[in-house]
PDB file of all heavy atoms in Angstrom:
ATOM      1  N   LEU S 197      70.901  71.812 171.295  1.00 86.00           N
ATOM      2  CA  LEU S 197      71.671  71.248 170.186  1.00 86.00           C
ATOM      3  C   LEU S 197      72.249  72.355 169.312  1.00 86.00           C
ATOM      4  O   LEU S 197      73.393  72.255 168.839  1.00 86.00           O
ATOM      5  CB  LEU S 197      70.778  70.324 169.354  1.00 86.00           C
ATOM      6  CG  LEU S 197      70.195  69.124 170.103  1.00 86.00           C
ATOM      7  CD1 LEU S 197      69.252  68.338 169.197  1.00 86.00           C
ATOM      8  CD2 LEU S 197      71.318  68.214 170.619  1.00 86.00           C
ATOM      9  N   VAL S 198      71.471  73.422 169.106  1.00 89.00           N
ATOM     10  CA  VAL S 198      71.977  74.575 168.360  1.00 89.00           C
ATOM     11  C   VAL S 198      73.133  75.215 169.119  1.00 89.00           C
ATOM     12  O   VAL S 198      74.170  75.564 168.527  1.00 89.00           O
ATOM     13  CB  VAL S 198      70.856  75.600 168.111  1.00 89.00           C
ATOM     14  CG1 VAL S 198      71.403  76.851 167.436  1.00 89.00           C
ATOM     15  CG2 VAL S 198      69.754  74.988 167.262  1.00 89.00           C
ATOM     16  N   ASP S 199      72.977  75.371 170.434  1.00 88.00           N
ATOM     17  CA  ASP S 199      74.053  75.935 171.257  1.00 88.00           C
ATOM     18  C   ASP S 199      75.348  75.167 171.058  1.00 88.00           C
ATOM     19  O   ASP S 199      76.417  75.756 170.799  1.00 88.00           O
ATOM     20  CB  ASP S 199      73.682  75.895 172.748  1.00 88.00           C
ATOM     21  CG  ASP S 199      72.593  76.874 173.113  1.00 88.00           C
ATOM     22  OD1 ASP S 199      72.280  77.753 172.282  1.00 88.00           O
ATOM     23  OD2 ASP S 199      72.042  76.757 174.224  1.00 88.00           O
ATOM     24  N   LEU S 200      75.280  73.862 171.200  1.00 88.00           N
ATOM     25  CA  LEU S 200      76.489  73.042 171.114  1.00 88.00           C
ATOM     26  C   LEU S 200      77.083  73.062 169.709  1.00 88.00           C
ATOM     27  O   LEU S 200      78.306  73.081 169.546  1.00 88.00           O
ATOM     28  CB  LEU S 200      76.190  71.610 171.546  1.00 88.00           C
ATOM     29  CG  LEU S 200      75.857  71.428 173.033  1.00 88.00           C
ATOM     30  CD1 LEU S 200      75.528  69.971 173.330  1.00 88.00           C
ATOM     31  CD2 LEU S 200      77.009  71.886 173.922  1.00 88.00           C
ATOM     32  N   ALA S 201      76.239  73.071 168.693  1.00 92.00           N
ATOM     33  CA  ALA S 201      76.738  73.127 167.323  1.00 92.00           C
ATOM     34  C   ALA S 201      77.460  74.444 167.057  1.00 92.00           C
ATOM     35  O   ALA S 201      78.552  74.471 166.457  1.00 92.00           O
ATOM     36  CB  ALA S 201      75.582  72.946 166.335  1.00 92.00           C
ATOM     37  N   VAL S 202      76.885  75.544 167.510  1.00 93.00           N
ATOM     38  CA  VAL S 202      77.504  76.853 167.312  1.00 93.00           C
ATOM     39  C   VAL S 202      78.800  76.953 168.102  1.00 93.00           C
ATOM     40  O   VAL S 202      79.823  77.467 167.604  1.00 93.00           O
ATOM     41  CB  VAL S 202      76.521  77.970 167.715  1.00 93.00           C
ATOM     42  CG1 VAL S 202      77.219  79.322 167.736  1.00 93.00           C
ATOM     43  CG2 VAL S 202      75.337  78.005 166.766  1.00 93.00           C
ATOM     44  N   LEU S 203      78.794  76.458 169.342  1.00 91.00           N
ATOM     45  CA  LEU S 203      80.016  76.508 170.156  1.00 91.00           C
ATOM     46  C   LEU S 203      81.109  75.612 169.577  1.00 91.00           C
ATOM     47  O   LEU S 203      82.295  75.964 169.612  1.00 91.00           O
ATOM     48  CB  LEU S 203      79.691  76.088 171.591  1.00 91.00           C
ATOM     49  CG  LEU S 203      78.814  77.064 172.379  1.00 91.00           C
ATOM     50  CD1 LEU S 203      78.417  76.450 173.717  1.00 91.00           C
ATOM     51  CD2 LEU S 203      79.511  78.395 172.589  1.00 91.00           C
ATOM     52  N   ALA S 204      80.736  74.446 169.049  1.00 91.00           N
ATOM     53  CA  ALA S 204      81.721  73.568 168.416  1.00 91.00           C
ATOM     54  C   ALA S 204      82.339  74.252 167.201  1.00 91.00           C
ATOM     55  O   ALA S 204      83.557  74.159 166.966  1.00 91.00           O
ATOM     56  CB  ALA S 204      81.069  72.245 168.016  1.00 91.00           C
ATOM     57  N   ALA S 205      81.521  74.950 166.421  1.00 93.00           N
ATOM     58  CA  ALA S 205      82.040  75.683 165.268  1.00 93.00           C
ATOM     59  C   ALA S 205      82.984  76.792 165.719  1.00 93.00           C
ATOM     60  O   ALA S 205      84.054  76.999 165.117  1.00 93.00           O
ATOM     61  CB  ALA S 205      80.883  76.258 164.454  1.00 93.00           C
ATOM     62  N   ALA S 206      82.616  77.498 166.792  1.00 92.00           N
ATOM     63  CA  ALA S 206      83.483  78.559 167.309  1.00 92.00           C
ATOM     64  C   ALA S 206      84.816  77.999 167.794  1.00 92.00           C
ATOM     65  O   ALA S 206      85.874  78.613 167.612  1.00 92.00           O
ATOM     66  CB  ALA S 206      82.772  79.303 168.438  1.00 92.00           C
ATOM     67  N   LYS S 207      84.773  76.811 168.402  1.00 90.00           N
ATOM     68  CA  LYS S 207      85.999  76.205 168.909  1.00 90.00           C
ATOM     69  C   LYS S 207      86.913  75.756 167.764  1.00 90.00           C
ATOM     70  O   LYS S 207      88.123  75.968 167.800  1.00 90.00           O
ATOM     71  CB  LYS S 207      85.646  75.012 169.802  1.00 90.00           C
ATOM     72  CG  LYS S 207      86.847  74.433 170.541  1.00 90.00           C
ATOM     73  CD  LYS S 207      86.389  73.385 171.552  1.00 90.00           C
ATOM     74  CE  LYS S 207      87.559  72.887 172.385  1.00 90.00           C
ATOM     75  NZ  LYS S 207      87.118  71.909 173.414  1.00 90.00           N
ATOM     76  N   SER S 208      86.331  75.149 166.739  1.00 91.00           N
ATOM     77  CA  SER S 208      87.138  74.664 165.624  1.00 91.00           C
ATOM     78  C   SER S 208      87.634  75.804 164.736  1.00 91.00           C
ATOM     79  O   SER S 208      88.651  75.676 164.050  1.00 91.00           O
ATOM     80  CB  SER S 208      86.339  73.665 164.795  1.00 91.00           C
ATOM     81  OG  SER S 208      85.209  74.286 164.217  1.00 91.00           O
ATOM     82  N   LEU S 209      86.934  76.910 164.751  1.00 89.00           N
ATOM     83  CA  LEU S 209      87.326  78.082 163.957  1.00 89.00           C
ATOM     84  C   LEU S 209      87.799  79.207 164.882  1.00 89.00           C
ATOM     85  O   LEU S 209      87.446  80.369 164.705  1.00 89.00           O
ATOM     86  CB  LEU S 209      86.150  78.553 163.107  1.00 89.00           C
ATOM     87  CG  LEU S 209      85.599  77.530 162.098  1.00 89.00           C
ATOM     88  CD1 LEU S 209      84.311  78.033 161.488  1.00 89.00           C
ATOM     89  CD2 LEU S 209      86.626  77.228 161.019  1.00 89.00           C
ATOM     90  N   ARG S 210      88.620  78.833 165.837  1.00 88.00           N
ATOM     91  CA  ARG S 210      88.999  79.776 166.893  1.00 88.00           C
ATOM     92  C   ARG S 210      89.620  81.060 166.358  1.00 88.00           C
ATOM     93  O   ARG S 210      89.356  82.147 166.863  1.00 88.00           O
ATOM     94  CB  ARG S 210      89.972  79.091 167.854  1.00 88.00           C
ATOM     95  CG  ARG S 210      90.415  80.016 168.990  1.00 88.00           C
ATOM     96  CD  ARG S 210      91.068  79.274 170.115  1.00 88.00           C
ATOM     97  NE  ARG S 210      91.391  80.168 171.217  1.00 88.00           N
ATOM     98  CZ  ARG S 210      91.595  79.787 172.467  1.00 88.00           C
ATOM     99  NH1 ARG S 210      91.503  78.502 172.777  1.00 88.00           N
ATOM    100  NH2 ARG S 210      91.875  80.673 173.398  1.00 88.00           N
ATOM    101  N   LYS S 211      90.440  80.950 165.328  1.00 84.00           N
ATOM    102  CA  LYS S 211      91.110  82.151 164.835  1.00 84.00           C
ATOM    103  C   LYS S 211      90.122  83.161 164.249  1.00 84.00           C
ATOM    104  O   LYS S 211      90.441  84.340 164.120  1.00 84.00           O
ATOM    105  CB  LYS S 211      92.166  81.792 163.800  1.00 84.00           C
ATOM    106  CG  LYS S 211      91.640  81.200 162.509  1.00 84.00           C
ATOM    107  CD  LYS S 211      92.803  80.930 161.556  1.00 84.00           C
ATOM    108  CE  LYS S 211      92.327  80.319 160.235  1.00 84.00           C
ATOM    109  NZ  LYS S 211      93.460  80.089 159.302  1.00 84.00           N
TER     110      LYS S 211
END
Side-chain angles (χ1 to χ4, degrees):
L197 299 176
V198 175
D199 289 347
L200 292 178
V202 171
L203 292 173
K207 188 172 185 178
S208 63
L209 300 171
R210 180 165 184 159
K211 66 178 180 179

